[in-house]
Amino acid sequence: MNILAIDLGKFNSMCCFYNTDTNEYRFQVAATTRHYLTSVFKNHKIDLVVMEACGPSGWISDLCQEVGLKTLVCSTNDAAWLWKNVKRKTDKDDSLKLARMAMMGQLTPVHVPKHQVREHRALIKYRKTIVGRLNRTKNLIRARFADHGIEIDRGQKAWRTGRELIDSHRKPLVECSLEELWRGQLDLELTQLDSLAQQQADVERRLDLIAKDDERIQRVQTIPGVGRRTAEAIVTTLDDVDRFDNARQVSSYIGLVPRQYQSGETDRNGRITKRGSRLLRTLLLECAWISMRYNEWSRTTYDRIHGGQQTRKKKAAIALARKIAVVAWSMLKHKTDWDPQRAGIVVEESPSPRPL
């Protein structure tokens, strides 16, 4: 069996051609481009292509399928990838170790979503990036006023009703004297703020259109307190729900299960593993806190877990976030909407929810 193990890089990748029958191997540096890798795949006898899960692994996996090669994209979070007490670590060492572990069957394969799903995920993450840039710009603007002893409104009020006051202090940088250069900086920051706000609006509109045409996102949104942002993150992260056999696998995939420490008679659980999508965990936790206002099942579950103990409130919220993800997975798997009767709660009149 001929294995091609690739240690991926942004510009160049290290290829290790490994023959499992003779244990012979050789290395080749390859440019991380479609044209070059296509020539490598076609000009060599390859039975299996192995690579680690990272940014370029998606399109390279698609390229392997186009040329008819079997592909294994593996996770680097396993214990086999822990480089402890290693005196030398190079790209050649990484690719060779990748090939040998593939030969011994010690690699854990990961799911590679389709191209459309990857693009949807990327747009969701990009929205989060834009929000971060917006917040940083707002903080810089506040710092300009604080440094010059000028008070502006706090919170969102400053950007809604107090924007006129902020704009009154801006001035083009080329027109500023040495005593008022900060006004020119303020003008540049406000220009950037308006541009970012427009970008965020464009991204939100595109995500809205995608959500309207995706029945899976609409199905998850039937859970009281779960809005479009959380629903689309759940759907794109889980992708093919049939690849999970039970709720435990779903919880482990999103990193909301505790670490286990077991030795002899000692067996205890630690903090959550935090594997998988960090963005999804963040949204699920925020959704858990919000859903307790409008979802009786969420409130009952939260109260039961923390049991009135102040020190268990955060743990209860994390557990509720995990349960929301599991319920969403079950609804997607069985193609059913939220049913309060199955959750064991009584349907009552409640205020209009403000989902996340």
Side-chain angles (χ1 to χ4, degrees):
M1 181 178 182
N2 295 308
I3 298 177
L4 169 59
I6 309 176
D7 183 60
L8 296 175
K10 183 181 296 184
F11 303 107
N12 293 311
S13 300
M14 180 60 66
C15 298
C16 177
F17 298 91
Y18 192 93
N19 189 307
T20 58
D21 297 328
T22 62
N23 289 331
E24 296 180 352
Y25 57 87
R26 61 184 180 85
F27 299 102
Q28 176 181 338
V29 179
T32 313
T33 62
R34 292 181 180 272
H35 176 73
Y36 197 98
L37 289 179
T38 300
S39 64
V40 171
F41 296 154
K42 291 183 177 181
N43 296 332
H44 296 81
K45 184 180 179 181
I46 303 171
D47 299 314
L48 176 65
V49 179
V50 187
M51 69 193 80
E52 57 192 358
C54 58
S57 60
W59 67 264
I60 295 178
S61 177
D62 293 342
L63 183 61
C64 292
Q65 295 179 7
E66 291 176 5
V67 298
L69 293 178
K70 184 179 179 181
T71 310
L72 173 61
V73 181
C74 62
S75 172
T76 57
N77 291 325
D78 294 337
W81 281 93
L82 296 180
W83 292 85
K84 293 183 178 179
N85 301 323
V86 176
K87 296 183 178 180
R88 191 187 73 167
K89 181 181 181 302
T90 65
D91 292 342
K92 291 184 178 180
D93 295 332
D94 289 349
S95 60
L96 180 58
K97 183 178 182 181
L98 191 64
R100 286 174 173 171
M101 287 195 297
M103 177 185 65
M104 294 183 292
Q106 294 183 351
L107 297 177
T108 302
V110 299
H111 172 69
V112 181
K114 295 181 179 179
H115 182 67
Q116 293 181 347
V117 179
R118 297 200 303 268
E119 291 296 319
H120 194 183
R121 281 186 184 180
L123 186 60
I124 294 172
K125 292 181 179 179
Y126 185 65
R127 176 188 57 201
K128 184 68 174 179
T129 301
I130 293 178
V131 172
R133 293 174 181 173
L134 273 168
N135 292 333
R136 286 193 294 271
T137 304
K138 290 179 179 179
N139 290 335
L140 287 173
I141 293 173
R142 288 186 179 277
R144 296 284 177 266
F145 285 96
D147 292 343
H148 292 81
I150 303 175
E151 294 184 4
I152 60 176
D153 294 328
R154 297 185 178 183
Q156 291 298 322
K157 188 178 180 181
W159 315 108
R160 294 174 181 172
T161 60
R163 179 59 189 269
E164 184 177 352
L165 173 63
I166 295 177
D167 287 337
S168 64
H169 293 277
R170 67 188 300 179
K171 190 175 182 180
L173 185 60
V174 294
E175 301 177 7
C176 295
S177 63
L178 292 178
E179 290 79 10
E180 53 183 9
L181 289 178
W182 73 275
R183 297 181 185 272
Q185 298 176 43
L186 176 64
D187 180 69
L188 297 176
E189 294 292 345
L190 288 172
T191 301
Q192 185 176 4
L193 179 67
D194 295 336
S195 176
L196 290 172
Q198 182 61 47
Q199 294 176 24
Q200 183 185 17
D202 293 340
V203 172
E204 291 288 348
R205 280 194 296 268
R206 189 66 183 97
L207 289 174
D208 284 338
L209 293 175
I210 297 174
K212 289 180 180 179
D213 297 333
D214 195 328
E215 62 177 8
R216 299 175 301 167
I217 297 178
Q218 298 175 14
R219 175 168 287 117
V220 175
Q221 284 186 257
T222 60
I223 304 175
V226 178
R228 195 208 73 207
R229 292 184 180 182
T230 306
E232 63 191 9
I234 292 174
V235 169
T236 56
T237 301
L238 298 183
D239 193 18
D240 182 11
V241 294
D242 293 329
R243 60 194 176 101
F244 302 103
D245 296 328
N246 49 56
R248 178 73 180 183
Q249 293 181 2
V250 177
S251 304
S252 178
Y253 182 76
I254 60 180
L256 287 177
V257 294
R259 301 176 184 269
Q260 184 178 17
Y261 301 89
Q262 192 275 332
S263 178
E265 297 180 357
T266 301
D267 190 359
R268 61 186 177 88
N269 293 326
R271 299 178 181 271
I272 58 175
T273 60
K274 294 185 178 181
R275 290 186 177 182
S277 173
R278 179 181 179 182
L279 176 59
L280 177 58
R281 287 194 301 274
T282 301
L283 291 174
L284 284 172
L285 185 57
E286 293 177 0
C287 180
W289 288 113
I290 293 176
S291 66
M292 286 185 285
R293 305 177 188 174
Y294 314 105
N295 192 333
E296 185 64 26
W297 169 80
S298 297
R299 169 54 64 179
T300 303
T301 303
Y302 174 79
D303 292 339
R304 175 177 56 82
I305 296 175
H306 81 75
Q309 302 180 32
Q310 295 292 331
T311 57
R312 289 185 57 82
K313 287 189 173 182
K314 187 175 181 180
K315 294 181 180 179
I318 295 175
L320 176 59
R322 184 192 67 82
K323 289 181 178 294
I324 291 175
V326 169
V327 168
W329 164 76
S330 179
M331 291 167 53
L332 293 171
K333 187 176 182 65
H334 299 95
K335 298 181 179 180
T336 57
D337 293 340
W338 169 259
D339 185 0
Q341 299 298 333
R342 296 184 63 181
I345 61 177
V346 179
V347 180
E348 298 179 352
E349 294 292 333
S350 60
S352 300
R354 299 176 182 176
L356 178 65

PDB file of all heavy atoms in Angstrom, residues 293-310:
ATOM      1  N   ARG A 293     -35.554  32.765  30.058  1.00  0.00           N
ATOM      2  CA  ARG A 293     -36.600  33.778  30.232  1.00  0.00           C
ATOM      3  C   ARG A 293     -37.891  33.393  29.528  1.00  0.00           C
ATOM      4  O   ARG A 293     -38.966  33.814  29.937  1.00  0.00           O
ATOM      5  CB  ARG A 293     -36.112  35.123  29.670  1.00  0.00           C
ATOM      6  CG  ARG A 293     -34.798  35.617  30.231  1.00  0.00           C
ATOM      7  CD  ARG A 293     -34.394  36.908  29.532  1.00  0.00           C
ATOM      8  NE  ARG A 293     -33.052  37.339  29.882  1.00  0.00           N
ATOM      9  CZ  ARG A 293     -32.433  38.380  29.321  1.00  0.00           C
ATOM     10  NH1 ARG A 293     -33.057  39.078  28.379  1.00  0.00           N
ATOM     11  NH2 ARG A 293     -31.215  38.713  29.685  1.00  0.00           N
ATOM     12  N   TYR A 294     -37.789  32.601  28.466  1.00  0.00           N
ATOM     13  CA  TYR A 294     -38.944  32.345  27.618  1.00  0.00           C
ATOM     14  C   TYR A 294     -39.275  30.863  27.463  1.00  0.00           C
ATOM     15  O   TYR A 294     -40.311  30.538  26.907  1.00  0.00           O
ATOM     16  CB  TYR A 294     -38.693  32.935  26.216  1.00  0.00           C
ATOM     17  CG  TYR A 294     -38.145  34.340  26.260  1.00  0.00           C
ATOM     18  CD1 TYR A 294     -36.804  34.603  25.986  1.00  0.00           C
ATOM     19  CD2 TYR A 294     -38.969  35.412  26.584  1.00  0.00           C
ATOM     20  CE1 TYR A 294     -36.300  35.884  26.026  1.00  0.00           C
ATOM     21  CE2 TYR A 294     -38.466  36.699  26.633  1.00  0.00           C
ATOM     22  CZ  TYR A 294     -37.138  36.936  26.347  1.00  0.00           C
ATOM     23  OH  TYR A 294     -36.648  38.214  26.403  1.00  0.00           O
ATOM     24  N   ASN A 295     -38.411  29.990  27.900  1.00  0.00           N
ATOM     25  CA  ASN A 295     -38.614  28.560  27.724  1.00  0.00           C
ATOM     26  C   ASN A 295     -38.704  27.899  29.098  1.00  0.00           C
ATOM     27  O   ASN A 295     -37.724  27.850  29.848  1.00  0.00           O
ATOM     28  CB  ASN A 295     -37.450  27.964  26.912  1.00  0.00           C
ATOM     29  CG  ASN A 295     -37.736  26.551  26.445  1.00  0.00           C
ATOM     30  OD1 ASN A 295     -38.505  25.821  27.065  1.00  0.00           O
ATOM     31  ND2 ASN A 295     -37.126  26.165  25.339  1.00  0.00           N
ATOM     32  N   GLU A 296     -39.881  27.371  29.405  1.00  0.00           N
ATOM     33  CA  GLU A 296     -40.090  26.744  30.711  1.00  0.00           C
ATOM     34  C   GLU A 296     -39.219  25.511  30.880  1.00  0.00           C
ATOM     35  O   GLU A 296     -38.749  25.219  31.982  1.00  0.00           O
ATOM     36  CB  GLU A 296     -41.565  26.371  30.873  1.00  0.00           C
ATOM     37  CG  GLU A 296     -41.925  25.824  32.243  1.00  0.00           C
ATOM     38  CD  GLU A 296     -41.722  26.844  33.356  1.00  0.00           C
ATOM     39  OE1 GLU A 296     -41.791  28.054  33.070  1.00  0.00           O
ATOM     40  OE2 GLU A 296     -41.479  26.431  34.502  1.00  0.00           O
ATOM     41  N   TRP A 297     -38.996  24.788  29.791  1.00  0.00           N
ATOM     42  CA  TRP A 297     -38.116  23.620  29.870  1.00  0.00           C
ATOM     43  C   TRP A 297     -36.699  24.029  30.256  1.00  0.00           C
ATOM     44  O   TRP A 297     -36.051  23.367  31.080  1.00  0.00           O
ATOM     45  CB  TRP A 297     -38.113  22.908  28.517  1.00  0.00           C
ATOM     46  CG  TRP A 297     -37.052  21.848  28.409  1.00  0.00           C
ATOM     47  CD1 TRP A 297     -37.092  20.588  28.908  1.00  0.00           C
ATOM     48  CD2 TRP A 297     -35.778  21.992  27.762  1.00  0.00           C
ATOM     49  NE1 TRP A 297     -35.932  19.919  28.613  1.00  0.00           N
ATOM     50  CE2 TRP A 297     -35.108  20.760  27.906  1.00  0.00           C
ATOM     51  CE3 TRP A 297     -35.149  23.019  27.068  1.00  0.00           C
ATOM     52  CZ2 TRP A 297     -33.829  20.544  27.382  1.00  0.00           C
ATOM     53  CZ3 TRP A 297     -33.883  22.801  26.552  1.00  0.00           C
ATOM     54  CH2 TRP A 297     -33.237  21.579  26.707  1.00  0.00           C
ATOM     55  N   SER A 298     -36.195  25.113  29.685  1.00  0.00           N
ATOM     56  CA  SER A 298     -34.844  25.583  30.015  1.00  0.00           C
ATOM     57  C   SER A 298     -34.757  25.994  31.478  1.00  0.00           C
ATOM     58  O   SER A 298     -33.790  25.659  32.174  1.00  0.00           O
ATOM     59  CB  SER A 298     -34.467  26.767  29.112  1.00  0.00           C
ATOM     60  OG  SER A 298     -34.412  26.385  27.764  1.00  0.00           O
ATOM     61  N   ARG A 299     -35.743  26.720  31.953  1.00  0.00           N
ATOM     62  CA  ARG A 299     -35.741  27.164  33.348  1.00  0.00           C
ATOM     63  C   ARG A 299     -35.808  25.975  34.297  1.00  0.00           C
ATOM     64  O   ARG A 299     -35.077  25.919  35.296  1.00  0.00           O
ATOM     65  CB  ARG A 299     -36.914  28.112  33.578  1.00  0.00           C
ATOM     66  CG  ARG A 299     -37.204  28.441  35.044  1.00  0.00           C
ATOM     67  CD  ARG A 299     -35.998  28.971  35.770  1.00  0.00           C
ATOM     68  NE  ARG A 299     -35.542  30.241  35.214  1.00  0.00           N
ATOM     69  CZ  ARG A 299     -34.494  30.926  35.713  1.00  0.00           C
ATOM     70  NH1 ARG A 299     -33.802  30.418  36.741  1.00  0.00           N
ATOM     71  NH2 ARG A 299     -34.129  32.056  35.169  1.00  0.00           N
ATOM     72  N   THR A 300     -36.660  24.998  34.005  1.00  0.00           N
ATOM     73  CA  THR A 300     -36.787  23.819  34.866  1.00  0.00           C
ATOM     74  C   THR A 300     -35.494  23.007  34.877  1.00  0.00           C
ATOM     75  O   THR A 300     -35.037  22.550  35.931  1.00  0.00           O
ATOM     76  CB  THR A 300     -37.951  22.937  34.384  1.00  0.00           C
ATOM     77  OG1 THR A 300     -39.157  23.714  34.373  1.00  0.00           O
ATOM     78  CG2 THR A 300     -38.133  21.744  35.297  1.00  0.00           C
ATOM     79  N   THR A 301     -34.901  22.838  33.703  1.00  0.00           N
ATOM     80  CA  THR A 301     -33.646  22.083  33.613  1.00  0.00           C
ATOM     81  C   THR A 301     -32.530  22.781  34.379  1.00  0.00           C
ATOM     82  O   THR A 301     -31.760  22.137  35.116  1.00  0.00           O
ATOM     83  CB  THR A 301     -33.240  21.915  32.139  1.00  0.00           C
ATOM     84  OG1 THR A 301     -34.288  21.263  31.426  1.00  0.00           O
ATOM     85  CG2 THR A 301     -31.963  21.101  32.026  1.00  0.00           C
ATOM     86  N   TYR A 302     -32.437  24.079  34.230  1.00  0.00           N
ATOM     87  CA  TYR A 302     -31.400  24.852  34.921  1.00  0.00           C
ATOM     88  C   TYR A 302     -31.576  24.769  36.439  1.00  0.00           C
ATOM     89  O   TYR A 302     -30.608  24.526  37.175  1.00  0.00           O
ATOM     90  CB  TYR A 302     -31.462  26.300  34.461  1.00  0.00           C
ATOM     91  CG  TYR A 302     -30.541  27.241  35.198  1.00  0.00           C
ATOM     92  CD1 TYR A 302     -29.184  27.297  34.890  1.00  0.00           C
ATOM     93  CD2 TYR A 302     -31.026  28.073  36.202  1.00  0.00           C
ATOM     94  CE1 TYR A 302     -28.336  28.154  35.567  1.00  0.00           C
ATOM     95  CE2 TYR A 302     -30.187  28.937  36.876  1.00  0.00           C
ATOM     96  CZ  TYR A 302     -28.853  28.974  36.561  1.00  0.00           C
ATOM     97  OH  TYR A 302     -28.019  29.828  37.238  1.00  0.00           O
ATOM     98  N   ASP A 303     -32.799  24.956  36.926  1.00  0.00           N
ATOM     99  CA  ASP A 303     -33.050  24.906  38.371  1.00  0.00           C
ATOM    100  C   ASP A 303     -32.756  23.528  38.935  1.00  0.00           C
ATOM    101  O   ASP A 303     -32.239  23.397  40.056  1.00  0.00           O
ATOM    102  CB  ASP A 303     -34.501  25.292  38.659  1.00  0.00           C
ATOM    103  CG  ASP A 303     -34.780  26.759  38.362  1.00  0.00           C
ATOM    104  OD1 ASP A 303     -33.808  27.541  38.318  1.00  0.00           O
ATOM    105  OD2 ASP A 303     -35.956  27.126  38.174  1.00  0.00           O
ATOM    106  N   ARG A 304     -33.077  22.494  38.167  1.00  0.00           N
ATOM    107  CA  ARG A 304     -32.837  21.138  38.659  1.00  0.00           C
ATOM    108  C   ARG A 304     -31.344  20.841  38.781  1.00  0.00           C
ATOM    109  O   ARG A 304     -30.914  20.168  39.733  1.00  0.00           O
ATOM    110  CB  ARG A 304     -33.495  20.131  37.710  1.00  0.00           C
ATOM    111  CG  ARG A 304     -33.207  18.672  38.061  1.00  0.00           C
ATOM    112  CD  ARG A 304     -33.948  17.741  37.131  1.00  0.00           C
ATOM    113  NE  ARG A 304     -33.636  18.013  35.731  1.00  0.00           N
ATOM    114  CZ  ARG A 304     -32.539  17.541  35.109  1.00  0.00           C
ATOM    115  NH1 ARG A 304     -31.647  16.823  35.791  1.00  0.00           N
ATOM    116  NH2 ARG A 304     -32.330  17.814  33.834  1.00  0.00           N
ATOM    117  N   ILE A 305     -30.553  21.343  37.863  1.00  0.00           N
ATOM    118  CA  ILE A 305     -29.122  21.035  37.878  1.00  0.00           C
ATOM    119  C   ILE A 305     -28.396  21.801  38.975  1.00  0.00           C
ATOM    120  O   ILE A 305     -27.574  21.228  39.705  1.00  0.00           O
ATOM    121  CB  ILE A 305     -28.497  21.335  36.501  1.00  0.00           C
ATOM    122  CG1 ILE A 305     -29.103  20.398  35.440  1.00  0.00           C
ATOM    123  CG2 ILE A 305     -26.983  21.164  36.545  1.00  0.00           C
ATOM    124  CD1 ILE A 305     -28.637  20.681  34.034  1.00  0.00           C
ATOM    125  N   HIS A 306     -28.649  23.099  39.090  1.00  0.00           N
ATOM    126  CA  HIS A 306     -27.889  23.850  40.101  1.00  0.00           C
ATOM    127  C   HIS A 306     -28.454  23.664  41.498  1.00  0.00           C
ATOM    128  O   HIS A 306     -27.741  23.888  42.498  1.00  0.00           O
ATOM    129  CB  HIS A 306     -27.800  25.329  39.736  1.00  0.00           C
ATOM    130  CG  HIS A 306     -29.002  26.150  40.074  1.00  0.00           C
ATOM    131  ND1 HIS A 306     -29.314  26.539  41.359  1.00  0.00           N
ATOM    132  CD2 HIS A 306     -29.954  26.678  39.279  1.00  0.00           C
ATOM    133  CE1 HIS A 306     -30.412  27.283  41.336  1.00  0.00           C
ATOM    134  NE2 HIS A 306     -30.821  27.365  40.082  1.00  0.00           N
ATOM    135  N   GLY A 307     -29.703  23.217  41.626  1.00  0.00           N
ATOM    136  CA  GLY A 307     -30.243  22.851  42.938  1.00  0.00           C
ATOM    137  C   GLY A 307     -30.184  23.944  43.980  1.00  0.00           C
ATOM    138  O   GLY A 307     -30.070  23.649  45.176  1.00  0.00           O
ATOM    139  N   GLY A 308     -30.236  25.191  43.561  1.00  0.00           N
ATOM    140  CA  GLY A 308     -30.199  26.289  44.518  1.00  0.00           C
ATOM    141  C   GLY A 308     -28.818  26.636  45.025  1.00  0.00           C
ATOM    142  O   GLY A 308     -28.669  27.523  45.874  1.00  0.00           O
ATOM    143  N   GLN A 309     -27.763  25.989  44.538  1.00  0.00           N
ATOM    144  CA  GLN A 309     -26.398  26.260  44.979  1.00  0.00           C
ATOM    145  C   GLN A 309     -25.777  27.343  44.098  1.00  0.00           C
ATOM    146  O   GLN A 309     -25.755  27.218  42.868  1.00  0.00           O
ATOM    147  CB  GLN A 309     -25.547  24.992  44.920  1.00  0.00           C
ATOM    148  CG  GLN A 309     -26.084  23.847  45.754  1.00  0.00           C
ATOM    149  CD  GLN A 309     -25.204  22.621  45.663  1.00  0.00           C
ATOM    150  OE1 GLN A 309     -23.989  22.721  45.505  1.00  0.00           O
ATOM    151  NE2 GLN A 309     -25.808  21.447  45.759  1.00  0.00           N
ATOM    152  N   GLN A 310     -25.275  28.379  44.728  1.00  0.00           N
ATOM    153  CA  GLN A 310     -24.692  29.494  43.983  1.00  0.00           C
ATOM    154  C   GLN A 310     -23.480  29.064  43.160  1.00  0.00           C
ATOM    155  O   GLN A 310     -23.240  29.586  42.071  1.00  0.00           O
ATOM    156  CB  GLN A 310     -24.294  30.608  44.959  1.00  0.00           C
ATOM    157  CG  GLN A 310     -25.466  31.256  45.678  1.00  0.00           C
ATOM    158  CD  GLN A 310     -26.341  32.061  44.733  1.00  0.00           C
ATOM    159  OE1 GLN A 310     -25.878  32.587  43.725  1.00  0.00           O
ATOM    160  NE2 GLN A 310     -27.624  32.157  45.060  1.00  0.00           N
TER     161      GLN A 310
END
